[in-house]
Amino acid sequence: MEYNKKRNYAQEVKSLKKGLILEGGAMRGLFTAGVLDVMMENGIVYDGAIGVSAGAAFGCNYKSGQIGRVIRYNTKFIRDKRYCGFRVLLRTGNFYSTEFCYKEVPLKYDIFDFDAYRKNPMDFYVVCTDIEAGKAVYHKFEGDKETGFDWIRASASMPIVSQIVEIDGKKLLDGGITDSVPLKYFQSIGYDKNVVILTQPKGYVKKKNRFIPLIKHIYKNYPNMVEAIKNRHNVYNDTLDYISEQEKMGTAFVIQPKEDLPVKRTERSPEKLRETYEIGRQIALELLPDILEYLNR
């Protein structure tokens, strides 16, 4: 009987699913990219990953195994008038160009490896917000070249500066509106041991959105989303408290910058993007022994 108990315990430990949770933050996501590249360079494997906004747009490269791709194409194109900016916003309704960012770059200029993505057994999820329901939508992104990056684009479509993305009858925007750091969701679908990458330093407290009057005007037909945005700071801060509790319990390992990152959300300086990326790399290298110990114990 005692032997069977030990064997069952060993099987339970062995079967723990390892998850990777990636917060958004627009160009703060270059911090995440630096962390992810170090993990890929050291062969760290997860059963599944989930990204929100920039966490989705940059994190999908983990499943395709493309080390360095995020920092490469961002520093190359960030000042390109086709890529992003207020001229693009006025012309297309999106601060980040749909055609250039989600079609030309991954299909022509810095090719995304769809084959490698599909062959990797790791599941990759993205989080969007259903603006009619004001609720989070969790979608397993299969990486079909034919359907492209619509789900990832929806996850990263920030309110005010992005058009609504319609997929499968749903009207979608940035996943960060409703679930910025989806640790609870990943735990709910069976991921027991999770590494969480945040893009704000420890002690950060989100404040109420100062653009609520404008948001109420623009999205007057979507009251549930407006309510979600009004309450987002409370939900986010509660999420950070939960993550902190999970970290103390040993069910989550948190990686985050030590101080505010040197980039704005819509940063267009290649030098600052590179600096932010290198900060992520340095912290990942410092924590690498601890990350490996956490995942393997």
Side-chain angles (χ1 to χ4, degrees), residues 69-262:
R69 181 173 179 269
V70 174
I71 186 62
R72 185 173 61 241
Y73 75 74
N74 273 288
T75 52
K76 181 176 181 179
F77 294 114
I78 196 64
R79 285 183 173 161
D80 192 309
K81 62 183 180 181
R82 298 169 295 175
Y83 190 79
C84 67
F86 288 104
R87 288 184 181 178
V88 176
L89 176 62
L90 291 172
R91 190 175 70 250
T92 69
N94 294 293
F95 188 86
Y96 293 95
S97 168
T98 296
E99 286 297 317
F100 194 74
C101 296
Y102 297 100
K103 295 180 181 179
E104 292 188 48
V105 170
L107 298 178
K108 182 178 178 181
Y109 297 119
D110 200 320
I111 296 172
F112 183 77
D113 194 337
F114 285 96
D115 289 338
Y117 183 96
R118 288 190 295 268
K119 289 176 183 176
N120 187 335
M122 181 185 83
D123 290 328
F124 189 79
Y125 295 79
V126 301
V127 185
C128 304
T129 294
D130 180 330
I131 66 172
E132 293 181 313
K135 302 289 185 181
V137 175
Y138 306 94
H139 174 79
K140 186 192 288 189
F141 181 64
E142 301 289 1
D144 295 324
K145 192 172 183 179
E146 294 72 24
T147 57
F149 291 95
D150 285 349
W151 279 98
I152 288 177
R153 176 167 66 92
S155 180
S157 290
M158 298 179 289
I160 301 177
V161 296
S162 305
Q163 291 183 326
I164 296 166
V165 180
E166 295 194 33
I167 307 174
D168 296 340
K170 289 184 171 63
K171 296 181 178 180
L172 306 170
L173 280 176
D174 194 330
I177 296 169
T178 46
D179 196 353
S180 295
V181 194
L183 174 58
K184 285 185 179 180
Y185 173 75
F186 236 34
Q187 290 174 328
S188 77
I189 61 171
Y191 289 88
D192 316 278
K193 182 173 284 194
N194 295 289
V195 172
V196 181
I197 303 180
L198 303 176
T199 58
Q200 296 283 12
K202 198 172 186 65
Y204 172 79
V205 177
K206 184 175 283 297
K207 297 178 181 177
K208 186 175 182 178
N209 193 314
R210 68 181 189 274
F211 295 110
I212 291 298
L214 180 59
I215 288 167
K216 283 183 177 179
H217 174 71
I218 294 174
Y219 300 106
K220 59 181 178 293
N221 294 327
Y222 305 102
N224 291 325
M225 188 190 75
V226 172
E227 283 301 309
I229 294 176
K230 285 171 64 176
N231 196 43
R232 185 189 176 197
H233 63 293
N234 292 321
V235 173
Y236 183 87
N237 293 331
D238 288 345
T239 297
L240 290 186
D241 289 342
Y242 178 77
I243 291 169
S244 180
E245 291 172 5
Q246 294 296 301
E247 185 180 25
K248 290 174 185 175
M249 292 169 57
T251 54
F253 187 98
V254 180
I255 303 171
Q256 61 192 134
K258 297 176 183 177
E259 56 188 16
D260 291 343
L261 293 169

